Every structure is written in structure tokens, then in C-alpha cells.
Amino acid sequence: MFGYRVPAPDEAMLISGGRRGLGGAPFRVVTGHGKFVLPVFRKTRFLSLAMAEAEVVEKCVTKQGIALTVRAVIAFKVGNDHESIVNAGQRFLSDQEQMSVLTGRIFAGHLRSIIGSMTVEEIVTERQKLATEVLDTSKAEMAKIGLHVDSLQIQSIDDGATGYIEAMSQPHKAAIQRAAKIAQAQANQASVEAEQAAARKQAEFARQTAIVQAEFSAEVDRAKAQADQAGPLARAHAQQEVLAAQTELALRQAELREKELIAEVVKPAQADAERIRVLALAEAERMKIQAEAAASYDRVALDRMLIDQLPQIVKEASAGLAGANVNVLNGADGLGEIAAGLVGQGLTILDSVRKNLSGDEAGSAVERYLGGPRGSDDGAVEVR
């Protein structure tokens, strides 16, 4: 659009003409947005807000009177605030390159002033301290012209041909060289030790390898020997197992034969012997029963014969009294006693014969007894 102006992101647009800017500035400041500017009646200029740098190479004298050439680089820019833009615009808008020149001169002066209060050792060893002090002393002056310093770097410090810095560095160089030599010696020693350790490890590895190979060879030999012996050993084991099986079979066959013999011979013999024993016992029992029965029969027959002969015995006894001289003292009672005595005598004879004699012997005894009293006339019975 005609008359509408927009500044770049790193620029500030300064519009002059018309009413004044803030704080009585001779122009209005526009940043970050556009503005409609009347042609002819308004004038527009642009101030760069980009980063710029200034290089300083200054010969300074230290507190010790030693001349040093110091090289430094300053990074700066116009401040972003309204006041800094106004201050920088009033000073550098027509010639913005002068910002670097003026900044270099300002820092050169402060650099000489601060280095003059320091020793070479402090300057060399404390560069950051030097840069900080230079920034601190120049900050207010730079703010007046609308500039802001971002950093200050001391790039080099040179003492020219005096050799002070070189001499100052000699002890350190010597110490460094000594430390380097020691480190080198230690490194060499470590290298030798490492080589020796590596050699020992190689020797140990070779020894272990030889041992493993020997063990492997021995294992292979044992395996071959076992393989060679495997066939005969297997056959021997097989034969041994066959013999054991045959032995077991023979034992079982012997046990079986023994059981068969027991079943076929011993058991029948035992059964036959038992049968004979039982038959013998039965026969003996039968004969005993027969003997007892015969004895019982003979006794019964004897008793019967004696009983049958008892009247005859009594008769013969009484007949023997016929010719005897008998005196009866008490009449009828005396005769009864005589008869009772005859009967009792017969019974006594019968009992004696039955206990001590067989049937034939008993008969003979009875006959002997009966024959005796008949021929005897000398007996006398007295009955009271």
C-alpha cells in the first residue's frame, strides 16, 4: 500500500516530521510492526539492530613497565529499548559504520587503563578477569551512545622481543617437559610391562594350548583304546551275561527238578509210609481188640462153666460130709450155717479160679478139688 512502511525484524524504523517522539525525541521509533507514513510530509530512516563486532589491537604497558600487544574482539549491538535506539539513532543513523570504530576506541582506552594496573602474570593467567573488568568499566559509557556489549574476548597477548612471557613460561615448560619425560618413561615402562605381560600371556596361552592339545590327544588315545577294547569287552560281557543266565536257568531247573522229585518220590513215599503206619496202627488196634474180646470171651466162658459147676461143687462138698463125723451144736441154725459155708466155699473157689486160671486150668482145678473131698473121710465139721 502506498505510504505504508514496515521495518525488518533486526531494524528500527525512525519517522521524522510531524509530532515528536516519546521523551521529546526528534523522531518516532517503530519496531516489530508497520506504520502508514505520509509521503513528503514524513521522512523514514532505518537503524540496524543486528549484531556487530569491533576488533582492537592495542599496545599497552603493564604495571611492571613491560609493553604488551593485546588483541581483543568486541561483540555489540544497538540496545532493544526505546532510549538506546534514540541515542544510537541520533549518533550513528547517518553513518552506522562509525559504531564499530567508536566502540573499538572506547575499549582500547579502557583496555590500556586496566592493563596498566595488572602484572604480566595476572594478565596471562587471568584473561577472563581482564575481560570482565574492561566490560564493567565500559558499560556505562557504551550505554550513553545506545550500544550494548554482548562479549569481549582477549584473543592474544604478545610481549614482542622482550621474551618475558617466554621466560615466565620456562619453569612451566620445564615442569611440563619433566612431567612429559616422566610420563613418557612411565609410558615406556608401561609399554615394556605390557609387552612382557603380553609375552607372558602368550607363553601361558601356548602352554595352556599345549596342555589342552596333550589332554585332547590323551583323550583321543583313551577313546581309541576304549573303542578297540569295546568289542572284546562287549563280547566278554555278553558271554558273562549268557553264563549268568545259564547259571540262573540251571539253578531254576535244579529247583524245579527238586520240587518234581519231592512231588514224585518223597511225597508218595511219605504218603505210603503214613499209610503203612496207619494200617499197622489199625492192625495192632484190631489185634488188641480181638485179644481183649477173646480174653473177655474166655472169662465169660470160664465164669459160665464155673457157675454151671457150682452146684456140683456144693453137691460134692456136701457128699463129702455124708461119712463125716459132724457134731451139730445148735440145732437147725447150725445146719443152716453148714449149708451156707458149703455154698461160700464154692464161691471162693470159683472166684480164685476165675482170677488166676484160664478156662482149661480152671476146669482141672475144679475137678481136682471135687475129687479131693470125696475120698476123704477124715474131715470134721463142727458147727456151733
Side-chain angles (χ1 to χ4, degrees):
M1 182 182 290
F2 180 76
Y4 191 82
R5 307 296 298 273
V6 179
D10 60 347
E11 288 180 338
M13 185 171 64
L14 307 180
I15 303 174
S16 59
R19 59 188 181 88
R20 301 175 68 86
L22 295 176
F27 47 81
R28 287 180 291 170
V29 178
V30 178
T31 59
H33 60 87
K35 189 75 175 176
F36 183 80
V37 180
L38 292 175
V40 179
F41 299 99
R42 304 284 187 272
K43 188 174 183 179
T44 304
R45 300 288 297 274
F46 293 93
L47 178 66
S48 176
L49 301 179
M51 180 68 65
E53 69 174 25
E55 185 177 1
V56 176
V57 179
E58 190 69 21
K59 191 172 184 179
C60 307
V61 179
T62 66
K63 182 179 179 180
Q64 299 159 312
I66 299 172
L68 298 178
T69 301
V70 179
R71 183 183 296 275
V73 176
I74 304 99
F76 68 95
K77 66 182 291 296
V78 177
N80 294 326
D81 59 287
H82 183 271
E83 183 179 0
S84 296
I85 294 173
V86 170
N87 291 335
Q90 289 178 336
R91 290 170 176 80
F92 306 110
L93 185 60
S94 60
D95 189 3
Q96 298 185 27
E97 296 294 332
Q98 288 297 319
M99 286 189 292
S100 298
V101 175
L102 182 59
T103 299
R105 290 175 180 175
I106 292 172
F107 272 87
H110 289 288
L111 193 61
R112 286 194 302 269
S113 175
I114 293 172
I115 288 177
S117 63
M118 299 177 65
T119 64
V120 177
E121 288 79 6
E122 292 175 342
I123 295 170
V124 171
T125 58
E126 299 179 6
R127 289 191 181 187
Q128 187 60 41
K129 179 181 177 181
L130 173 62
T132 303
E133 290 183 2
V134 171
L135 283 175
D136 291 340
T137 56
S138 61
K139 185 179 296 183
E141 189 173 353
M142 294 290 289
K144 289 180 181 181
I145 59 177
L147 300 178
H148 174 77
V149 179
D150 287 336
S151 67
L152 170 63
Q153 295 293 329
I154 306 297
Q155 291 186 333
S156 65
I157 298 172
D158 187 11
D159 62 351
T162 60
Y164 187 89
I165 296 176
E166 180 70 19
M168 186 178 64
S169 65
Q170 288 302 321
H172 300 287
K173 288 183 178 180
I176 292 172
Q177 289 176 358
R178 182 170 59 253
K181 290 179 180 179
I182 293 172
Q184 185 63 39
Q186 292 176 349
N188 294 335
Q189 182 179 358
S191 176
V192 172
E193 291 177 354
E195 290 177 357
Q196 293 176 352
R200 287 194 298 270
K201 288 183 179 179
Q202 290 179 355
E204 180 66 20
F205 179 76
R207 187 179 68 86
Q208 293 292 338
T209 303
I211 292 173
V212 171
Q213 289 178 350
E215 292 178 352
F216 180 75
S217 298
E219 186 68 23
V220 171
D221 293 339
R222 284 195 297 270
K224 290 178 64 177
Q226 290 177 358
D228 294 338
Q229 295 176 358
L233 287 175
R235 289 193 293 271
H237 285 305
Q239 292 177 358
Q240 184 177 2
E241 292 178 358
V242 170
L243 291 175
Q246 291 177 351
T247 303
E248 182 69 18
L249 179 60
L251 290 175
R252 291 185 180 181
Q253 289 179 349
E255 291 178 357
L256 180 62
R257 183 56 182 164
E258 181 181 359
K259 292 179 181 179
E260 291 177 352
L261 290 175
I262 290 173
E264 294 175 357
V265 178
V266 176
K267 293 296 182 179
Q270 290 179 349
D272 192 39
E274 183 65 20
R275 182 180 62 80
I276 293 172
R277 186 181 67 80
V278 171
L279 292 176
L281 291 175
E283 183 65 20
E285 186 67 21
R286 184 184 67 79
M287 293 179 67
K288 178 180 179 182
I289 293 171
Q290 288 178 354
E292 290 178 352
S296 176
Y297 177 78
D298 291 342
R299 191 175 296 112
V300 170
L302 178 59
D303 291 343
R304 184 176 183 81
M305 183 187 68
L306 292 176
I307 291 170
D308 291 340
Q309 295 296 328
L310 182 59
Q312 185 65 27
I313 294 171
V314 175
K315 180 179 179 181
E316 292 296 334
S318 62
L321 293 176
N325 187 14
V326 178
N327 294 322
V328 181
L329 299 180
N330 52 356
D333 293 332
L335 291 175
E337 291 177 356
I338 292 171
L342 292 174
V343 175
Q345 184 177 6
L347 292 173
T348 301
I349 295 170
L350 179 61
D351 184 63
S352 175
V353 172
R354 187 174 55 189
K355 289 181 178 179
N356 299 316
L357 300 176
S358 63
D360 295 337
E361 291 175 347
S364 300
V366 171
E367 289 177 358
R368 288 195 303 272
Y369 178 78
L370 292 176
R374 290 194 190 105
S376 177
D377 294 333
D378 295 333
V381 179
E382 183 175 3
V383 181
R384 298 179 180 270

